[in-house]
Amino acid sequence: MSPVAGPSGPQDAYDYTEGASPIDINNALAYSRRSSQLSVYNDDEGTVFSGPGHSVNPSSVTRMSNLDPARRSWSRSRRKSHDSGISGRPSIERRLSQDSQHTQVSGQDSEEEDGDAGSRRRSSRGRSRRSPSPGPVRPSVLGNWASLFGKTQTTQDSRRLSISSGRSSASLSRRSSRSDAGSDYAVETDDDERWGYSSGEAESDGESSGRDDASMARSMEYNSEPPSPIMGQGLPLLTSDPVFGGESRIEMEFSFTELEPAPPGPPSRQQIYVEEDDSTVRLMGYEILLWRQWLWRIGCLFTFGILGLLGHWFPRLWLGSVTREKAFKDIRQGFVVVESSNRDVVLVSLRKLDYPFPVTTVFPSLSSDQSSSGSFNKTGETYDAETRMLHSLIVVNYRYSRFALDPRNGLFYVMRNWRDSSWTSSSVLQAGLQENTRRQRATLFDKNEINIEAKSAIALLIDEVIHPFYVFQVASIILWSLDDYYYYAFCIFAISVGSITTTLVETKKTITRMREMSKFNCKVSVVVGGAWVELDSTDLVPGDVINLSSSQLSVIPADMFLLGGDAILNESMLTGESVPVSKVPVKDEDLVKWKDGKVENSKSFIYGGTKVVRIRASTTNDGSQGRPALALVARTGFDTTKGALIRSMLFPKPIGFKFYRDSVRFIGVLAGIALLGFSISAVQFVRIGLKWQTILIRALDLITVVVPPALPATLSIGTSFAIARLKKSGIYCISPSRINVAGKINVCCFDKTGTLTEDGLDILGVRPLDRNVNRFGELLDDIHDLPLGKDKASFLHALATCHSLKMVEGDIVGDPLDVKMFEFTRWTLEEGTIGRTGVIKAKSGAVTEQTSLVQTVVRPPGSAQFKLEDALKGNAKRAHFLELGVIRMFEFVSSLRRMSVIVKRLKSNSMEIYVKGAPEVMLDICEKDSFPEDYDDLLSYYTKRGYRVIAMAGKSIEGLSWLKAQRMKREQAESRLRFLGLIIFENKIKPGTAPAIQALRTAHLPCRMITGDNPLTAVSVARECGLVNQAAYIFFPTFVRGDATVPDAKVEWTCMDDPLWKLDTYSLKPLSPPLHHTAEADEIGYHDYSLVISGDVFRWMISYAPLETLQRMLVKAQVFARMSPDEKNEVVERLQGLGYTVLMCGDGANDCAALKAADVGISLSEAEASVAAPFTTSTADIGCVIGLIKEGRSALVTSFSCFKYMALYSLIQFTTVTLLYSFASSLGDFQFLYIDLFIIIPIAVTMGRTLPYPRIYIKRPTASLVSRKVLSSIIGQIIITSTVQIWAYSWVRGQEWYTQPPSPDTKDGSNQLESTNFENSVLFLISCFQYIMVAGVFSIGPPYRKPMWTNVLLMVSLSVLTAFNLLVLLSPPQAIADLLALMIIPKAGRLKLLLAVAINTATCILYEGFGSLVVAGLVGQILKGRKSTRRIRETGGKVYKAVEGGMR
């Protein structure tokens, strides 16, 4: 349990309020709550310069400001109404927008930054890389069987365990109207393969570049969402592996399925954007027709359950056959179909809750025009329109989110968006709820628990068995049993049972682990009916007031607003921010904004699931505990931020991967080949006169030959071995499907601090001012050498007070930079808990307000051992002891890049204001004459050498009282300051950084740095670690007119080493250099210069720059500096939009959103929030990137090898069986068993054990099965092996010792075909060598894997099998010959077969090494003429390559 900090011993303290009356204090506090302070920016995305006091808002990572809607990246994460085409929620009073036929509801607010003068809009993109996790389940076995034949709806959607991760893609915006002049190098793509572009960018150049009111009006119509990228028809939803970039990325978010017009009357369809789940869903009401349901059941009976299986796999088939569409409010015996944007369909039942309460307790009030025009606002079974009372409430629970049906308009409402209209003042809310209100809300929101339903083992077994893969397995086993092929059928059955058992055990473990992670309950003190009672945390409801001080919490049980006291929490589980975050009581204006549907202010919002570091009640003047720390419950259960995180793990977005799409299509081609081969064989069977039963069994058996049941399992072998090897090297994967994604990485992005450089900063020293010469003084590394100076605002006092540190159990807690700075002063810190609390009383004497009057007290070394009054006696020996109290703090705001404090010195007549921030912002807030002459030179000196520089400024205000300090606005405090000096921090590069960057650049993998640090410092670190070439010219943009908010602003790109050298502002190519340069402009190559860009220019370019310039900047920039967390996310998305497959490596703090957005995210943090990234490492070094890319490429090549091998194995066996079918013969049972069990399985398993190659090759492996190289290889090997078999078949028939097989007995009752003949023996012997030979040919070694001979198990398997095959061919023991039904072949014939095998092997090896490349090249030459007329999209979507080509 986390202790609640108590007061220190009583001590007389200085009255910092200077005798202000309680009424004055009360007025000052009220004014403080109302004042438009810039410190309430709600800018919580984290620091830019790693300054103090920053926090991260886990529920809604803020997006960039000043984005023109026309240029904003279309993200499926927290999309705005004008972006998504789905109606937004302008206010909480009216979140339901209705047109003449349907209404679409969005959970997205029209958000505004709190207190931001620019009224910044936010378009959050919360990305999640999710871990393998189970989905909600159906409750019973009977329900599973009923779902097959009766399609009984469920209360929770049933979904198979998915291991895929979601990735929301971003895109490049359309060109602005100013760029319509065009460019030869601007890259556009067509709609049908716009894999990285937003749907909003599909329009032609002639169309308007923005979304106007008309487009928003169209978005109100049903089925009018923006067109999604059009995929190939019938693209399978494969949840086993997500998409990844370049030519291999496939967007899986479609437009919803086109439907017939809805029936007239109340709404039966509705689209809802669920903000916290980052998904759009469509709800449709259906009612079951009993006579159709009985017909369906009869059909299932007559088809032996096949129709039921088809209905389970294809729900639309069942819906069209059994149900009809029905209005939501009129459904009696039916359900709601929920369709996600990836066309995943789930049937969910309607629940009817007894709810005799007013309708306004659930739904927001309708506007007057909606109430008057609503034709459905009538009294019904669940609602009385006259009294506006509900009788019952219809709800739908979908993926643990609750939707309630509003009986007034027949539309569903997202219950997570519920707000209490009475939440306007924290003082009013402290009375808590009455018991009847708590019962009402308990019914409405259910229990406050994140309880993941657990399936029984039987239910899991049924779900697993009815999966298409296992259905095919079962069908194959039944077929083999009917064919008397018992041995192999039993072996496959045993393997399948083992596989299913392993899957069930792992699934149960995963469910158990998830349940343990998500469930939590404790005892809490709650106000109920005006009295404190102890309740279980699962009984909490929104509106409950909790006493945090007495509850002794270790983990926060729900999302809450802090009403009183203060708290320090560890939010690493949600945000990855390892620095504890301080919370302050909520202000009334924040509550009002929350009530009106805005996002919460994270500075006063306590997120469920976060760990308590300290909760502290306020204290009174005598040192005793005053008012306790109180909190107001805002969200419970799955509606909390932790619940949304758990839900994102349970239901990751299915995203396609081109390799798997191609593999499914290839399997379809194999099935087609099987049908073609059987059609030819069937003619011969009929001619011979075989029974139809035999013909049918042979046909089905041929399908199992061509499409082997073990094929899907072999594709995951490489990934499994890669995960095991990564784990040994300290890299842990929570999304195994991302292993193959790592094989396609073509750009690596890194955070700087904590990733490329050491996590901790060391103070190199401070540079104070020498006012006598108006220059900087010497670098001081000892605080005792720092002169106090004559001014009251001193550098030393600024260092001691300008921070946001806290003291927890004797330890200083806060930002590492702040901690280092304060430790440098060697002062002592004490929080304002002793006699520094103002008590405000009403006329009745009751306490109405209480606040900390002094936030922090600091003293120089030695002061703590003296009593405070001793320092006030005026004794000269003790006169140097002093005390500084922080009266007020303006917290760090990343957009301002500074923080400030108001400080009162003991017994002083004045107060001092100190500001700490980025050096460049000081120029705007300090008086010009306070800067030394060498300010720019010294700043440039340190930043270019990679040092972190923080500037300090201050001023003294005489006669400033405590009341006036509370009334002061931030812009008043942070103005007309005097510059004090610089703090120089040393941030050393990690030892493994430079070698890793060098290895990546050697492999031609572009590297990018995305940091919040100063551009000069970032460039210095980039050059030091080799990320940027030491000799490269670096160009940096600055505004010469306007700023990031001005569309017509002008940006100038200047060389950092020579300000006279510029870039062309449109093409971003160097202009002619100044005369003193020896190089000419045309001699500066593409790789001779690089770009660095800051966050403000980046925002402007995203919003207003021409598309061509934006594309070139993204391709050419290597350092992105001064980037906030949302801008880091945006950089990743924009790179993906150009076709890059992006790897992001960060420390998991303010990189959380970028780690989620990237194709592959690696967190160097071991905090619980590493769940944000699919990979985490125990060694905080970017060397893990090298290992991951090597393993990814190895796993991808292994998957290709295994697939090609299994495809060749199938076709080799198909050729053998087809030739034997020509005269009604086939392979024997033990021949099949030997091939399938003793040759194929050992080889397929051991092929994946080859280790990755030690170095990263300069080219990536392909991810397309339909590439020229892959198809040339497969088709060529098929032709070679088939030719050898056809030769052997013809050769044996021409030998003098050959005897014809007996004619088949058509009267025999058995369906077996004769297998003892010379053709069978020859083809069997030849094919056994071919299986082994093809394995060797396809066991690709360098440049992605080590040579085949290093795989000991594979070499042993190949050697043993080859030796055994030679034995069987040259001198088979009689027992083996009898078992395999082999004919006796003369020695000369055996040697000739051996020679054929040798020639076959040599031909296949030569073709794979040389021939396939030649054939692929010829095909490329043939297609070259056609490609000249194709657009860029035909290159596989590599837009960045076209952009690079235009800049060379």
Side-chain angles (χ1 to χ4, degrees), residues 59 295 381 516 560 610 641 721 799 827 952 1028 1047 1149 1176 1224 1234 1268 1353 1384 1396:
S59 65
L295 285 178
E381 181 182 342
E516 290 175 353
M560 310 175 188
T610 55
T641 306
F721 288 129
L799 293 173
W827 283 39
M952 304 292 289
V1028 173
T1176 56
Y1234 172 67
R1268 296 194 305 271
L1353 290 179
I1384 299 176

PDB file of all heavy atoms in Angstrom, residues 59 295 381 516 560 610 641 721 799 827 952 1028 1047 1149 1176 1224 1234 1268 1353 1384 1396:
ATOM      1  N   SER A  59      -5.209   9.012 -22.622  1.00  0.00           N
ATOM      2  CA  SER A  59      -6.453   8.693 -23.302  1.00  0.00           C
ATOM      3  C   SER A  59      -6.600   9.403 -24.621  1.00  0.00           C
ATOM      4  O   SER A  59      -7.393   9.008 -25.442  1.00  0.00           O
ATOM      5  CB  SER A  59      -7.639   9.054 -22.402  1.00  0.00           C
ATOM      6  OG  SER A  59      -7.660  10.455 -22.206  1.00  0.00           O
ATOM      7  N   LEU A 295     -36.485 -23.765 -42.034  1.00  0.00           N
ATOM      8  CA  LEU A 295     -35.958 -24.217 -43.325  1.00  0.00           C
ATOM      9  C   LEU A 295     -34.441 -24.334 -43.293  1.00  0.00           C
ATOM     10  O   LEU A 295     -33.859 -25.263 -43.845  1.00  0.00           O
ATOM     11  CB  LEU A 295     -36.395 -23.255 -44.435  1.00  0.00           C
ATOM     12  CG  LEU A 295     -37.845 -23.341 -44.901  1.00  0.00           C
ATOM     13  CD1 LEU A 295     -38.125 -22.303 -45.971  1.00  0.00           C
ATOM     14  CD2 LEU A 295     -38.147 -24.748 -45.447  1.00  0.00           C
ATOM     15  N   GLU A 381     -43.496   0.953 -25.454  1.00  0.00           N
ATOM     16  CA  GLU A 381     -43.369  -0.074 -24.417  1.00  0.00           C
ATOM     17  C   GLU A 381     -42.293   0.284 -23.400  1.00  0.00           C
ATOM     18  O   GLU A 381     -42.402  -0.048 -22.223  1.00  0.00           O
ATOM     19  CB  GLU A 381     -43.030  -1.415 -25.080  1.00  0.00           C
ATOM     20  CG  GLU A 381     -42.893  -2.567 -24.108  1.00  0.00           C
ATOM     21  CD  GLU A 381     -42.520  -3.858 -24.813  1.00  0.00           C
ATOM     22  OE1 GLU A 381     -42.697  -3.929 -26.055  1.00  0.00           O
ATOM     23  OE2 GLU A 381     -42.070  -4.774 -24.123  1.00  0.00           O
ATOM     24  N   GLU A 516      -5.851 -11.720 -14.904  1.00  0.00           N
ATOM     25  CA  GLU A 516      -5.091 -11.304 -13.734  1.00  0.00           C
ATOM     26  C   GLU A 516      -4.584  -9.870 -13.891  1.00  0.00           C
ATOM     27  O   GLU A 516      -4.535  -9.103 -12.929  1.00  0.00           O
ATOM     28  CB  GLU A 516      -3.915 -12.262 -13.504  1.00  0.00           C
ATOM     29  CG  GLU A 516      -4.345 -13.651 -13.034  1.00  0.00           C
ATOM     30  CD  GLU A 516      -3.173 -14.602 -12.933  1.00  0.00           C
ATOM     31  OE1 GLU A 516      -2.061 -14.204 -13.359  1.00  0.00           O
ATOM     32  OE2 GLU A 516      -3.353 -15.738 -12.463  1.00  0.00           O
ATOM     33  N   MET A 560     -10.855   9.115 -12.443  1.00  0.00           N
ATOM     34  CA  MET A 560     -11.404  10.066 -11.475  1.00  0.00           C
ATOM     35  C   MET A 560     -10.841  11.469 -11.695  1.00  0.00           C
ATOM     36  O   MET A 560      -9.761  11.638 -12.264  1.00  0.00           O
ATOM     37  CB  MET A 560     -11.048   9.659 -10.033  1.00  0.00           C
ATOM     38  CG  MET A 560     -11.338   8.228  -9.680  1.00  0.00           C
ATOM     39  SD  MET A 560     -10.740   7.872  -8.003  1.00  0.00           S
ATOM     40  CE  MET A 560     -10.995   6.104  -7.945  1.00  0.00           C
ATOM     41  N   THR A 610      -3.398   3.238 -12.827  1.00  0.00           N
ATOM     42  CA  THR A 610      -2.091   3.819 -12.526  1.00  0.00           C
ATOM     43  C   THR A 610      -1.732   3.555 -11.065  1.00  0.00           C
ATOM     44  O   THR A 610      -2.600   3.429 -10.209  1.00  0.00           O
ATOM     45  CB  THR A 610      -2.091   5.332 -12.791  1.00  0.00           C
ATOM     46  OG1 THR A 610      -3.150   5.944 -12.045  1.00  0.00           O
ATOM     47  CG2 THR A 610      -2.308   5.612 -14.259  1.00  0.00           C
ATOM     48  N   THR A 641      -9.675   4.417 -19.069  1.00  0.00           N
ATOM     49  CA  THR A 641      -8.534   4.401 -19.994  1.00  0.00           C
ATOM     50  C   THR A 641      -7.862   3.036 -19.995  1.00  0.00           C
ATOM     51  O   THR A 641      -7.458   2.536 -21.042  1.00  0.00           O
ATOM     52  CB  THR A 641      -7.522   5.480 -19.576  1.00  0.00           C
ATOM     53  OG1 THR A 641      -8.197   6.735 -19.484  1.00  0.00           O
ATOM     54  CG2 THR A 641      -6.409   5.584 -20.586  1.00  0.00           C
ATOM     55  N   PHE A 721      10.817 -19.839 -34.418  1.00  0.00           N
ATOM     56  CA  PHE A 721      12.244 -19.930 -34.091  1.00  0.00           C
ATOM     57  C   PHE A 721      12.851 -18.541 -33.891  1.00  0.00           C
ATOM     58  O   PHE A 721      13.709 -18.346 -33.028  1.00  0.00           O
ATOM     59  CB  PHE A 721      12.993 -20.684 -35.190  1.00  0.00           C
ATOM     60  CG  PHE A 721      12.708 -22.160 -35.207  1.00  0.00           C
ATOM     61  CD1 PHE A 721      12.333 -22.806 -36.365  1.00  0.00           C
ATOM     62  CD2 PHE A 721      12.819 -22.910 -34.049  1.00  0.00           C
ATOM     63  CE1 PHE A 721      12.066 -24.166 -36.384  1.00  0.00           C
ATOM     64  CE2 PHE A 721      12.560 -24.277 -34.055  1.00  0.00           C
ATOM     65  CZ  PHE A 721      12.181 -24.906 -35.221  1.00  0.00           C
ATOM     66  N   LEU A 799      18.253  28.409  -9.950  1.00  0.00           N
ATOM     67  CA  LEU A 799      18.577  26.983 -10.011  1.00  0.00           C
ATOM     68  C   LEU A 799      17.891  26.210  -8.887  1.00  0.00           C
ATOM     69  O   LEU A 799      17.474  25.054  -9.072  1.00  0.00           O
ATOM     70  CB  LEU A 799      20.092  26.787  -9.912  1.00  0.00           C
ATOM     71  CG  LEU A 799      20.943  27.307 -11.073  1.00  0.00           C
ATOM     72  CD1 LEU A 799      22.419  27.196 -10.729  1.00  0.00           C
ATOM     73  CD2 LEU A 799      20.639  26.517 -12.345  1.00  0.00           C
ATOM     74  N   TRP A 827      21.231  22.255  -2.265  1.00  0.00           N
ATOM     75  CA  TRP A 827      20.249  22.776  -1.324  1.00  0.00           C
ATOM     76  C   TRP A 827      19.341  21.632  -0.872  1.00  0.00           C
ATOM     77  O   TRP A 827      19.415  20.511  -1.379  1.00  0.00           O
ATOM     78  CB  TRP A 827      19.420  23.880  -1.987  1.00  0.00           C
ATOM     79  CG  TRP A 827      20.144  25.194  -2.099  1.00  0.00           C
ATOM     80  CD1 TRP A 827      21.473  25.387  -2.395  1.00  0.00           C
ATOM     81  CD2 TRP A 827      19.576  26.494  -1.932  1.00  0.00           C
ATOM     82  NE1 TRP A 827      21.785  26.709  -2.426  1.00  0.00           N
ATOM     83  CE2 TRP A 827      20.628  27.437  -2.144  1.00  0.00           C
ATOM     84  CE3 TRP A 827      18.315  26.976  -1.629  1.00  0.00           C
ATOM     85  CZ2 TRP A 827      20.430  28.799  -2.063  1.00  0.00           C
ATOM     86  CZ3 TRP A 827      18.113  28.344  -1.549  1.00  0.00           C
ATOM     87  CH2 TRP A 827      19.165  29.256  -1.754  1.00  0.00           C
ATOM     88  N   MET A 952      18.157  30.370 -18.169  1.00  0.00           N
ATOM     89  CA  MET A 952      17.459  30.851 -16.993  1.00  0.00           C
ATOM     90  C   MET A 952      17.323  32.368 -17.066  1.00  0.00           C
ATOM     91  O   MET A 952      18.238  33.069 -17.526  1.00  0.00           O
ATOM     92  CB  MET A 952      18.217  30.481 -15.709  1.00  0.00           C
ATOM     93  CG  MET A 952      18.509  29.010 -15.533  1.00  0.00           C
ATOM     94  SD  MET A 952      17.050  28.012 -15.249  1.00  0.00           S
ATOM     95  CE  MET A 952      16.619  28.516 -13.593  1.00  0.00           C
ATOM     96  N   VAL A1028      24.237  11.228 -39.567  1.00  0.00           N
ATOM     97  CA  VAL A1028      24.430  12.176 -40.660  1.00  0.00           C
ATOM     98  C   VAL A1028      25.909  12.182 -41.015  1.00  0.00           C
ATOM     99  O   VAL A1028      26.772  12.190 -40.127  1.00  0.00           O
ATOM    100  CB  VAL A1028      23.962  13.593 -40.248  1.00  0.00           C
ATOM    101  CG1 VAL A1028      24.315  14.606 -41.326  1.00  0.00           C
ATOM    102  CG2 VAL A1028      22.465  13.598 -39.993  1.00  0.00           C
ATOM    103  N   PRO A1047      -0.799  30.941 -43.200  1.00  0.00           N
ATOM    104  CA  PRO A1047      -0.703  30.175 -44.456  1.00  0.00           C
ATOM    105  C   PRO A1047       0.297  30.760 -45.439  1.00  0.00           C
ATOM    106  O   PRO A1047       0.965  30.023 -46.160  1.00  0.00           O
ATOM    107  CB  PRO A1047      -2.134  30.222 -45.012  1.00  0.00           C
ATOM    108  CG  PRO A1047      -2.995  30.485 -43.820  1.00  0.00           C
ATOM    109  CD  PRO A1047      -2.184  31.340 -42.902  1.00  0.00           C
ATOM    110  N   ALA A1149       8.549   6.711 -23.469  1.00  0.00           N
ATOM    111  CA  ALA A1149       7.930   7.783 -22.687  1.00  0.00           C
ATOM    112  C   ALA A1149       7.024   8.603 -23.585  1.00  0.00           C
ATOM    113  O   ALA A1149       5.896   8.209 -23.853  1.00  0.00           O
ATOM    114  CB  ALA A1149       9.016   8.634 -22.040  1.00  0.00           C
ATOM    115  N   THR A1176      10.022  -5.136 -26.987  1.00  0.00           N
ATOM    116  CA  THR A1176      10.732  -4.461 -25.906  1.00  0.00           C
ATOM    117  C   THR A1176      12.053  -5.175 -25.710  1.00  0.00           C
ATOM    118  O   THR A1176      12.201  -6.354 -26.054  1.00  0.00           O
ATOM    119  CB  THR A1176       9.942  -4.509 -24.586  1.00  0.00           C
ATOM    120  OG1 THR A1176       9.658  -5.877 -24.262  1.00  0.00           O
ATOM    121  CG2 THR A1176       8.650  -3.738 -24.696  1.00  0.00           C
ATOM    122  N   ALA A1224      -5.429 -46.166 -63.514  1.00  0.00           N
ATOM    123  CA  ALA A1224      -6.145 -46.603 -62.309  1.00  0.00           C
ATOM    124  C   ALA A1224      -5.215 -47.190 -61.270  1.00  0.00           C
ATOM    125  O   ALA A1224      -5.500 -48.219 -60.659  1.00  0.00           O
ATOM    126  CB  ALA A1224      -7.237 -47.603 -62.660  1.00  0.00           C
ATOM    127  N   TYR A1234       5.390 -42.660 -45.684  1.00  0.00           N
ATOM    128  CA  TYR A1234       6.826 -42.386 -45.676  1.00  0.00           C
ATOM    129  C   TYR A1234       7.111 -40.982 -46.213  1.00  0.00           C
ATOM    130  O   TYR A1234       7.904 -40.226 -45.629  1.00  0.00           O
ATOM    131  CB  TYR A1234       7.560 -43.430 -46.517  1.00  0.00           C
ATOM    132  CG  TYR A1234       9.024 -43.108 -46.731  1.00  0.00           C
ATOM    133  CD1 TYR A1234       9.924 -43.118 -45.666  1.00  0.00           C
ATOM    134  CD2 TYR A1234       9.511 -42.777 -47.996  1.00  0.00           C
ATOM    135  CE1 TYR A1234      11.257 -42.819 -45.860  1.00  0.00           C
ATOM    136  CE2 TYR A1234      10.844 -42.478 -48.193  1.00  0.00           C
ATOM    137  CZ  TYR A1234      11.716 -42.493 -47.126  1.00  0.00           C
ATOM    138  OH  TYR A1234      13.041 -42.189 -47.322  1.00  0.00           O
ATOM    139  N   ARG A1268       8.274 -11.663 -60.118  1.00  0.00           N
ATOM    140  CA  ARG A1268       8.847 -12.423 -61.244  1.00  0.00           C
ATOM    141  C   ARG A1268       9.852 -13.463 -60.758  1.00  0.00           C
ATOM    142  O   ARG A1268       9.870 -14.594 -61.231  1.00  0.00           O
ATOM    143  CB  ARG A1268       9.528 -11.454 -62.213  1.00  0.00           C
ATOM    144  CG  ARG A1268       8.597 -10.463 -62.881  1.00  0.00           C
ATOM    145  CD  ARG A1268       9.287  -9.789 -64.054  1.00  0.00           C
ATOM    146  NE  ARG A1268      10.531  -9.163 -63.654  1.00  0.00           N
ATOM    147  CZ  ARG A1268      10.632  -7.912 -63.218  1.00  0.00           C
ATOM    148  NH1 ARG A1268       9.542  -7.168 -63.116  1.00  0.00           N
ATOM    149  NH2 ARG A1268      11.801  -7.404 -62.888  1.00  0.00           N
ATOM    150  N   LEU A1353      20.581 -29.657 -37.809  1.00  0.00           N
ATOM    151  CA  LEU A1353      19.441 -30.567 -37.851  1.00  0.00           C
ATOM    152  C   LEU A1353      18.940 -30.781 -39.277  1.00  0.00           C
ATOM    153  O   LEU A1353      18.560 -31.895 -39.651  1.00  0.00           O
ATOM    154  CB  LEU A1353      18.319 -30.035 -36.959  1.00  0.00           C
ATOM    155  CG  LEU A1353      18.578 -30.080 -35.456  1.00  0.00           C
ATOM    156  CD1 LEU A1353      17.398 -29.493 -34.690  1.00  0.00           C
ATOM    157  CD2 LEU A1353      18.819 -31.521 -35.004  1.00  0.00           C
ATOM    158  N   ILE A1384      10.806 -55.369 -58.157  1.00  0.00           N
ATOM    159  CA  ILE A1384      12.242 -55.623 -58.288  1.00  0.00           C
ATOM    160  C   ILE A1384      12.706 -55.094 -59.646  1.00  0.00           C
ATOM    161  O   ILE A1384      12.255 -55.536 -60.698  1.00  0.00           O
ATOM    162  CB  ILE A1384      12.548 -57.129 -58.182  1.00  0.00           C
ATOM    163  CG1 ILE A1384      12.085 -57.642 -56.803  1.00  0.00           C
ATOM    164  CG2 ILE A1384      14.035 -57.393 -58.414  1.00  0.00           C
ATOM    165  CD1 ILE A1384      12.268 -59.143 -56.635  1.00  0.00           C
ATOM    166  N   ALA A1396      19.538 -40.283 -63.390  1.00  0.00           N
ATOM    167  CA  ALA A1396      18.470 -39.307 -63.630  1.00  0.00           C
ATOM    168  C   ALA A1396      18.277 -38.394 -62.419  1.00  0.00           C
ATOM    169  O   ALA A1396      18.054 -37.181 -62.557  1.00  0.00           O
ATOM    170  CB  ALA A1396      17.163 -40.036 -63.957  1.00  0.00           C
TER     171      ALA A1396
END
